[in-house]
Amino acid sequence: MNKPSDLKGMVLDPVTNDQRYIGHSEPRHGARRLLEGQGTYIDDIQLPRMAHVVFWRSPVAHMKIGKIHAEHASKMPGVLAVVDGVQMAKICKPWVATLGHLVGMKSAPQHALAIDRACWQGEPVVAVVAETRAQAEDALQHVDVEWEELPAVVSMETALDSDTPVIHPELGDNLCFTRSLDVGNVDEVFATADVVAEATFGFGRHTGVTLEPRCQIADYNPGDRRLTVYHSQQAPHMMQDLYCRQFGLSESDVHVICKDVGGSFGIKVHAYPDDFATVGLAMMLERPVKFVADRLESFTSDIHAREHRIKGRIAANKAGDILAFEIDDLTAIGPYSMFPRTSAIEGNQVVNLVGGPYKHQNYRAQLNVVFQNKTPTCQYRGVGHPIACAVTEGLVDLAAQKLQMDPLEFRKRNVIPDDAYPCSGISGIKLEVLSHEQCLRTIEKMMDYSALRKEQAELRKKGIYRGIGFATLIELTNPSPAFYGVGGARIASQDGATVRMDPSGVISVLIGVGEQGQGTEGIYTQIAADAVGVSIDQVRVVTGDTDVTPYGGGTWASRGAGVGGEAVLLASQALQENIIKLAGAILNRPVTELIARRGYILDKATGEQLMPFSEVGRVGYFRTDTLPAGFSADLMVTRHYTQKEYPFIFTNGVQASYVEVDPETGFVKLLKHWAVEDCGRVINPMLVNEQVRGAIVQGIGGVLFEECLYDESGLLRNGSMADYLVPMANEMPDIEVAHVETPTQSSKLGAKGAGEAGTAGAPGAVQNAINDALAPFNATVFDQPITCEKILRALKKI
């Protein structure tokens, strides 16, 4: 394991042998106030004259909007306004969510409140604003909308058929985006391969179910024409920019504040129609307006993800070499592409990542992204990775089975060797440094694989059917400007950090990457403490405030450590250099003789404490008259970082699942789960381990429990916590986590990302474990979530 002292430019002092924080399991000091109930979430904020908005949402999947009768509702107690789409369009521009580098992608203009037609159940049509939430909800019952139900496109399988209605006639058809990739000699390889295995994989829609729902308070001050938005969001600067564009404002007119955010998982990195409507209402009424989605409307208004049907096949030779992959991916995204990141990204990621860990030279993929009358889908935790991994690893297991090879040995033979990097994957993605071989060796030892196989065989003799499943994965993190910038989306790939030493010697870190519960504030504290040279309890972190933090991309794509952390490191190192220069001027000593440790300036040779930081701060702020002429005491510095060397910095790992399947009931019991993760430099092992465990639980939710179920007319059947299944603690197995560290050379810190890889690998590992348990019955299930019913159907028992 690489020690924290290996960081470029950061050397452990040989005299003081000072304990460093990076690489150690340091508790999050900022978590204390949350444990004491002192967090500030959107619903905790009360502003003078604050009003509340609720929305009349489409009750059907597709409808023509007729006359809206709001007279009675507008006269209800406390009601301030009843606003429809035509009125809202006078203040908020429509938008079209496409990216230029996704050639041929199309979507229709979308409004904050629907005009003429509503295209999914849950689309906002009318806004009711009142003094209290209860008054708004009472008045909502008296809004009468005349509407005519229109034919709905529900099945993605028939969305492109000639007799299927076109949702947006001006687009010509229901195809949002298509992409083809053909590398090598796929047809020839499949025609001559010793073994060909194929399967059709299904992935059900699911959504985020965050503890804190989507919510915001928009406050427009007409005196200075300034908009302040308190938001539960992942990308405050992105939202600032969108408000500027949609409402004709400048950046200086818009202030976005994201205090504590109660979970996000990707659903809070998008701009929603009701989001813009809330801002528009605040500007119309010139007073604060609060929107908090209730749990029922969240199910139809939050983005969904993962609705795919993929036909895949794999070719291999008798020696056990993977020769080729081929997939045909059909995915549906709802009636519009989501703004501003677009809904075609998930399918595009699937194409890029299928077969990613393996060294085959032949690959063909076809992707069709279609419109339908369901809740829009977009980026959600993992963004295509769980799909690509489950397809890849499911096919790998089928090929190993046909070859009668052990699935772990088959993977060890075919992964890209650890000494082959840097290289390009078969889809063209550039890979810097990965560790598949080491991860596979590590997990084999962790789980005592040979003993587990022996136990499995003995239990099968007794009629107990257990299975072992593997998933080797890659996960993109630290995206470069090539991800969104080239497509025209104004989403920053860089992040900046400002680090300041106060007169008392306390260090303040200001950064745009927000805290969503994953611990970024904790790691920024560790990085700053090490890089400046102070005790960790002398660091304060401020995040998510566009007025005070440097411009940045925010929290997405597991970039908090790799991009945000690097910015904090660079700024902190620069501040330490300035502190030492100032101390040298005060002490009249060369800076080469001084070092900073634990809030003191030390003699580098002897380790003697010469001056506390508080004294450096006192002179630097209040007695600059004592400093040499022309000397500048800069005790606040800002640095920015953009990862430019690769389109992405990939992390990698492997997961294994051990399950028991009851062939009489189809019930799956999760027995144990293992994960070996390579996220580059591990800043805080405790935080990383819990991030991986949490992500694995979310992945297990997708493979076993979660699905947004629709009826034939496009109505959501299970849009409540009583009917939508999420994984519970008592159902989860023990999860054992280990790490391999291959730091990226694209940054000084060497951190990649860890927040999503657990979600990426878990579905594939559990899927393969279930099918391994079903192997004696010659049955397989590749349709997620894998339910008892689907298992019993595979066993031909129902």
Side-chain angles (χ1 to χ4, degrees):
M1 179 175 174
N2 295 297
K3 299 300 182 184
S5 55
D6 294 335
L7 289 172
K8 301 174 187 175
M10 298 178 69
V11 180
L12 188 65
D13 180 56
V15 178
T16 62
N17 195 30
D18 189 39
Q19 175 68 59
R20 310 300 279 178
Y21 295 108
I22 295 174
H24 292 270
S25 294
E26 182 70 25
R28 284 189 282 171
H29 296 269
R32 183 180 182 89
R33 63 183 179 84
L34 300 178
L35 291 171
E36 295 178 349
Q38 299 301 312
T40 303
Y41 299 94
I42 296 301
D43 212 31
D44 296 320
I45 299 172
Q46 300 295 326
L47 301 180
R49 300 179 65 244
M50 187 169 70
H52 299 258
V53 61
V54 297
F55 294 96
W56 191 96
R57 298 178 183 274
S58 173
V60 294
H62 197 192
M63 74 177 194
K64 181 179 180 180
I65 302 170
K67 189 173 182 180
I68 297 173
H69 303 277
E71 299 83 4
H72 187 38
S74 63
K75 296 176 182 178
M76 293 284 289
V79 172
L80 301 171
V82 181
V83 177
D84 62 24
V86 174
Q87 295 168 293
M88 184 59 66
K90 294 177 182 178
I91 189 172
C92 180
K93 302 172 187 175
W95 59 88
V96 177
T98 57
L99 289 173
H101 66 297
L102 300 180
V103 179
M105 184 185 179
K106 59 192 180 187
S107 186
Q110 189 176 359
H111 289 267
L113 295 174
I115 301 174
D116 298 327
R117 287 184 305 133
C119 294
W120 82 88
Q121 179 198 13
E123 182 172 6
V125 177
V126 182
V128 178
V129 188
E131 297 281 359
T132 69
R133 174 67 179 249
Q135 290 173 330
E137 290 185 347
D138 287 345
L140 186 67
Q141 309 307 313
H142 295 275
V143 173
D144 183 14
V145 179
E146 296 180 8
W147 54 273
E148 174 189 347
E149 189 165 5
L150 299 174
V153 180
V154 178
S155 171
M156 64 182 178
E157 301 284 354
T158 59
L160 300 179
D161 292 354
S162 59
D163 58 349
T164 297
V166 176
I167 298 173
H168 304 292
E170 67 272 25
L171 299 182
D173 55 31
N174 290 323
L175 182 65
C176 169
F177 176 66
T178 186
R179 178 189 174 191
S180 298
L181 180 66
D182 198 338
V183 181
N185 301 297
V186 175
D187 287 331
E188 179 183 340
V189 169
F190 273 99
T192 58
D194 296 319
V195 165
V196 174
E198 58 186 30
T200 298
F201 299 81
F203 300 88
R205 279 177 167 243
H206 48 284
T207 188
V209 198
T210 53
L211 285 176
E212 181 189 31
R214 287 190 304 109
C215 47
Q216 67 185 118
I217 300 171
D219 183 10
Y220 184 71
N221 186 327
D224 55 13
R225 289 185 49 80
R226 196 147 197 265
L227 172 69
T228 300
V229 182
Y230 300 87
H231 223 319
S232 181
Q233 240 279 343
Q234 297 174 235
H237 283 104
M238 181 193 82
M239 294 309 301
Q240 178 193 47
D241 179 75
L242 293 179
Y243 294 143
C244 291
R245 286 194 281 159
Q246 298 311 119
F247 293 97
L249 304 170
S250 67
E251 284 86 355
S252 60
D253 297 330
V254 180
H255 180 197
V256 177
I257 305 170
C258 298
K259 291 183 177 289
D260 296 312
V261 176
S264 51
F265 309 133
I267 71 162
K268 296 178 182 176
V269 78
H270 312 292
Y272 291 80
D274 47 36
D275 185 338
F276 289 124
T278 302
V279 170
L281 292 166
M283 296 178 70
M284 288 178 180
L285 299 173
E286 298 184 348
R287 62 189 293 174
V289 177
K290 175 187 279 191
F291 166 64
V292 178
D294 66 33
R295 189 62 71 186
L296 294 177
E297 68 181 322
S298 291
F299 276 103
T300 56
S301 65
D302 294 354
I303 60 107
H304 295 175
R306 313 245 208 276
E307 186 173 5
H308 290 249
R309 189 272 293 133
I310 299 178
K311 296 178 180 177
R313 60 177 183 157
I314 184 174
N317 61 25
K318 290 179 181 178
D321 300 313
I322 297 174
L323 304 177
F325 284 92
E326 182 177 20
I327 65 163
D328 185 330
D329 183 4
L330 175 65
T331 181
I333 61 165
Y336 299 98
S337 171
M338 198 70 184
F339 194 50
R341 295 169 186 266
T342 83
S343 302
I345 290 291
E346 183 175 79
N348 199 55
Q349 297 284 67
V350 172
V351 171
N352 286 338
L353 296 170
V354 164
Y358 299 104
K359 55 187 178 183
H360 59 289
Q361 296 300 307
N362 305 279
Y363 176 47
R364 182 159 60 208
Q366 175 64 42
L367 169 69
N368 284 325
V369 181
V370 301
F371 295 115
Q372 61 180 172
N373 294 113
K374 293 182 182 178
T375 300
T377 73
C378 205
Q379 284 95 312
Y380 168 67
R381 195 175 195 176
V383 194
H385 293 69
I387 298 160
C389 182
V391 170
T392 300
E393 297 302 291
L395 292 173
V396 166
D397 262 22
L398 288 176
Q401 188 179 49
K402 281 199 169 188
L403 289 165
Q404 296 184 329
M405 285 188 67
D406 179 88
L408 180 58
E409 292 303 318
F410 189 52
R411 286 171 170 81
K412 289 161 72 174
R413 180 181 179 90
N414 283 283
V415 291
I416 299 173
D418 294 355
D419 61 2
Y421 298 98
C423 67
S424 292
I426 191 63
S427 66
I429 53 177
K430 294 181 179 179
L431 305 169
E432 180 201 13
V433 55
L434 301 177
S435 56
H436 294 304
E437 291 179 316
Q438 190 174 350
C439 287
L440 287 168
R441 289 193 299 267
T442 302
I443 205 165
E444 181 177 15
K445 184 177 180 180
M446 277 174 65
M447 61 193 297
D448 197 355
Y449 181 58
S450 59
L452 210 60
R453 282 294 184 198
K454 183 178 179 181
E455 176 183 272
Q456 178 191 39
E458 291 298 320
L459 289 172
R460 279 185 181 176
K461 296 174 184 177
K462 301 176 183 179
I464 298 173
Y465 297 94
R466 293 185 174 181
I468 303 167
F470 293 98
T472 305
L473 63 103
I474 58 174
E475 166 76 29
L476 66 84
T477 69
N478 302 8
S480 76
F483 194 41
Y484 283 120
V486 296
R490 293 162 63 91
I491 299 169
S493 59
Q494 60 86 41
D495 257 282
T498 296
V499 183
R500 180 186 72 229
M501 187 180 82
D502 296 329
S504 62
V506 170
I507 304 301
S508 295
V509 177
L510 298 89
I511 184 166
V513 179
E515 175 64 65
Q516 321 282 307
Q518 76 276 49
T520 48
E521 289 183 0
I523 64 170
Y524 296 154
T525 302
Q526 290 176 264
I527 294 167
D530 274 358
V532 176
V534 296
S535 175
I536 199 166
D537 59 6
Q538 293 297 103
V539 180
R540 304 290 180 268
V541 178
V542 176
T543 66
D545 187 327
T546 60
D547 262 14
V548 299
T549 62
Y551 206 98
T555 305
W556 49 278
S558 302
R559 66 192 296 279
V563 177
E566 184 71 7
V568 172
L569 175 66
L570 296 176
S572 298
Q573 288 180 324
L575 177 61
Q576 186 195 66
E577 184 178 342
N578 288 353
I579 291 170
I580 293 175
K581 285 180 181 178
L582 178 55
I586 297 169
L587 296 168
N588 195 27
R589 292 184 60 169
V591 295
T592 55
E593 296 179 3
L594 307 176
I595 58 172
R597 287 288 181 270
R598 291 298 176 102
Y600 283 87
I601 299 298
L602 308 181
D603 183 291
K604 187 175 183 180
T606 66
E608 177 190 358
Q609 291 184 354
L610 302 176
M611 180 184 297
F613 275 20
S614 58
E615 178 63 11
V616 178
R618 184 189 72 82
V619 175
Y621 283 109
F622 308 125
R623 292 305 310 272
T624 53
D625 59 298
T626 64
L627 299 174
F631 185 88
S632 177
D634 298 317
L635 296 179
M636 183 170 74
V637 297
T638 299
R639 294 291 184 272
H640 290 80
Y641 172 71
T642 305
Q643 192 283 118
K644 297 179 181 178
E645 295 187 32
Y646 294 86
F648 311 96
I649 298 300
F650 278 87
T651 185
N652 72 277
V654 60
Q655 293 185 33
S657 178
Y658 190 38
V659 308
E660 184 176 309
V661 179
D662 183 347
E664 298 303 317
T665 64
F667 183 79
V668 176
K669 182 177 182 181
L670 299 162
L671 302 174
K672 189 73 181 282
H673 200 98
W674 299 267
V676 179
E677 173 83 1
D678 183 351
C679 58
R681 179 84 58 194
V682 174
I683 299 171
N684 187 319
M686 177 173 60
L687 283 180
V688 171
N689 288 351
E690 294 316 305
Q691 274 288 290
V692 171
R693 287 190 177 96
I696 287 170
V697 170
Q698 202 155 15
I700 290 173
V703 68
L704 290 181
F705 303 106
E706 298 185 54
E707 184 174 17
C708 298
L709 298 168
Y710 284 81
D711 66 18
E712 294 180 354
S713 63
L715 296 183
L716 186 63
R717 294 163 45 201
N718 63 333
S720 76
M721 291 302 292
D723 301 305
Y724 181 91
L725 300 180
V726 293
M728 306 293 283
N730 64 324
E731 297 161 330
M732 293 301 101
D734 286 339
I735 301 171
E736 190 175 336
V737 181
H739 297 280
V740 171
E741 291 188 74
T742 56
T744 173
Q745 298 303 303
S746 66
S747 67
K748 289 185 176 182
L749 190 61
K752 299 176 183 177
E756 296 172 283
T759 302
V766 173
Q767 163 197 271
N768 286 349
I770 292 171
N771 286 331
D772 186 47
L774 297 176
F777 304 96
N778 294 317
T780 55
V781 184
F782 292 111
D783 188 10
Q784 299 183 19
I786 300 175
T787 62
C788 298
E789 179 182 356
K790 291 173 184 176
I791 289 173
L792 292 176
R793 289 191 184 280
L795 292 169
K796 297 182 169 51
K797 295 199 173 184
I798 59 172

